[in-house]
Amino acid sequence: MNTEEINDLVEHQLSIWSEARKNFDALTLIGRKQLKIGDLGAIAQHNPARIRSTGAKTDAESIRKRECFLCAGNRPSEQISYEWLPGWELLVNPYPILPIHFTIVDKQHRPQDAIPLDMALMAEKAPDLAIFFNGARAGASAPDHRHCQAVLKSELPLLRLTERYHTQSLPSIISSEKFGLDLPFNFISAIITPDKEGMILLSLVTKIKGEDSLTGEADPGLVNAFFWMDSNGLLRIIVIPRRAHRPKCFYAEDETAMTVSPGALDMAGLMILPIERDYERINPDLARKIYEEVAFAGPFPEKIILA
Ligand SMILES: [Zn+2]
């Protein structure tokens, strides 16, 4: 699937779905500002339509009480399901963060589990896209229905930075600590070669876990992952082990409160702020603090990498 086919697909969907069209058109008007956090050139985006996801109640009780919006029977009648890989449906996200923004949904209603290996096939099938995954406790607003998402890979600052600093002369799997950069959090970067070693590495990388900062327990649901094809035609993977689902300011009841709930795109350098006041207040220091609270600013605990 090349860029032209992707654009045609989105255009076709928007031509018959006025509600989604409205949200896509609104994207061109929303506020964006640079957030230079050390060596990460991040961007803050004021996106009011995302409040439904950022503020979503994802506790077990709330999830049980609502209808699953990813199940085919509960989707708006205008939403087209495109043939994708076996077992997966490709949907245009009606609440986009970027002009190309897909949700890739498991045909079966089953919980968000480990990082899906199929993401490797998706990245190969659409080399202009970055396929990304929010673990059940790392930004997924539907933790009860397995899904991933996709945007144009060129839009994501963290992926560009990784391609630049994780060169092929380095080991095929490394921690971003080895980049020697000032980053607000660390992550694991892997280059997957199309051979047996690559397959072993792929299996290893998808088992990386996060660690709950409250309990100290390793948790496979506390990760974000990105899969994409690089300019050399090799599969790249980033896994971001997390310490928490949301930062302290999300729960604060005083003037420090901010409605920010980082998922994969926020971690990739697009911090989404649905509330205007928060967007105006956000600055590199606050953004760094948010990243530090939900991910690992220092070295990783051994057990989350090899457990
Ligand atoms: Zn469902």
Side-chain angles (χ1 to χ4, degrees):
M1 196 163 67
N2 60 32
T3 304
E4 200 182 329
E5 288 166 318
I6 290 167
N7 287 336
D8 286 352
L9 194 151
V10 173
E11 197 41 51
H12 174 55
Q13 171 66 89
L14 298 185
S15 70
I16 60 161
W17 193 1
S18 58
E19 180 67 25
R21 164 71 77 189
K22 207 174 73 194
N23 292 334
F24 272 79
D25 289 348
L27 264 189
T28 59
L29 303 172
I30 62 177
R32 280 175 155 246
K33 65 180 183 188
Q34 299 286 333
L35 284 180
K36 179 111 178 67
I37 310 163
D39 290 306
L40 177 64
I43 294 162
Q45 185 191 87
H46 173 222
N47 191 333
R50 293 294 299 183
I51 188 66
R52 52 186 291 123
S53 177
T54 303
K57 288 197 167 77
T58 55
D59 61 285
E61 180 66 12
S62 304
I63 293 292
R64 213 169 24 246
K65 280 184 182 159
R66 64 118 171 88
E67 274 192 335
C68 174
F69 57 88
L70 293 181
C71 273
N74 301 331
R75 289 182 211 142
S77 59
E78 300 92 334
Q79 190 162 31
I80 302 168
S81 161
Y82 294 94
E83 286 293 322
W84 185 240
L85 297 170
W88 296 93
E89 297 178 88
L90 183 71
L91 312 174
V92 170
N93 188 330
Y95 303 99
I97 288 172
L98 292 163
I100 302 293
H101 190 169
F102 296 107
T103 310
I104 303 160
V105 179
D106 192 316
K107 284 192 170 173
Q108 288 184 40
H109 182 86
R110 66 176 112 187
Q112 201 76 321
D113 191 7
I115 301 166
L117 282 169
D118 280 352
M119 289 172 72
L121 301 173
M122 295 175 196
E124 270 188 359
K125 199 171 159 77
D128 293 331
L129 296 179
I131 317 294
F132 61 96
F133 176 79
N134 289 321
R137 295 185 60 217
S141 50
D144 54 336
H145 193 136
R146 194 164 77 131
H147 66 286
C148 34
Q149 300 174 63
V151 297
L152 291 179
K153 65 184 180 185
S154 55
E155 301 264 22
L156 302 180
L158 194 71
L159 275 53
R160 293 198 301 266
L161 178 141
T162 300
E163 275 200 39
R164 186 161 161 213
Y165 288 94
H166 187 181
T167 56
Q168 275 179 267
S169 59
L170 291 171
S172 52
I173 179 165
I174 57 170
S175 162
S176 58
E177 295 162 87
K178 300 281 193 299
F179 296 167
L181 299 174
D182 173 15
L183 298 172
F185 61 90
N186 283 312
F187 56 92
I188 307 295
S189 168
I191 303 176
I192 309 291
T193 47
D195 52 22
K196 191 176 166 209
E197 273 174 30
M199 292 307 104
I200 292 168
L201 188 53
L202 177 65
S203 161
L204 185 79
V205 168
T206 51
K207 291 188 178 74
I208 293 173
K209 298 177 176 70
E211 183 188 77
D212 190 318
S213 62
L214 293 177
T215 64
E217 297 287 318
D219 184 340
L222 276 171
V223 291
N224 301 112
F226 298 85
F227 287 53
W228 79 102
M229 303 304 289
D230 71 11
S231 47
N232 296 317
L234 291 175
L235 177 66
R236 296 266 186 164
I237 301 177
I238 286 176
V239 178
I240 305 172
R242 300 270 297 255
R243 308 170 60 224
H245 175 198
R246 285 164 164 160
K248 290 193 188 88
C249 61
F250 182 89
Y251 305 100
E253 288 176 1
D254 56 14
E255 71 287 347
T256 63
M258 285 183 95
T259 304
V260 58
S261 182
L265 285 184
D266 304 76
M267 302 309 287
L270 291 179
M271 193 168 272
I272 308 305
L273 300 140
I275 312 278
E276 189 171 11
R277 174 181 169 270
D278 298 339
Y279 171 73
E280 281 163 6
R281 280 172 59 215
I282 193 77
N283 60 40
D285 289 343
L286 278 176
R288 185 186 284 270
K289 194 156 172 277
I290 290 165
Y291 282 132
E292 284 175 356
E293 284 176 10
V294 299
F296 290 89
F300 298 114
E302 190 75 3
K303 67 178 170 190
I304 71 173
I305 307 300
L306 298 170

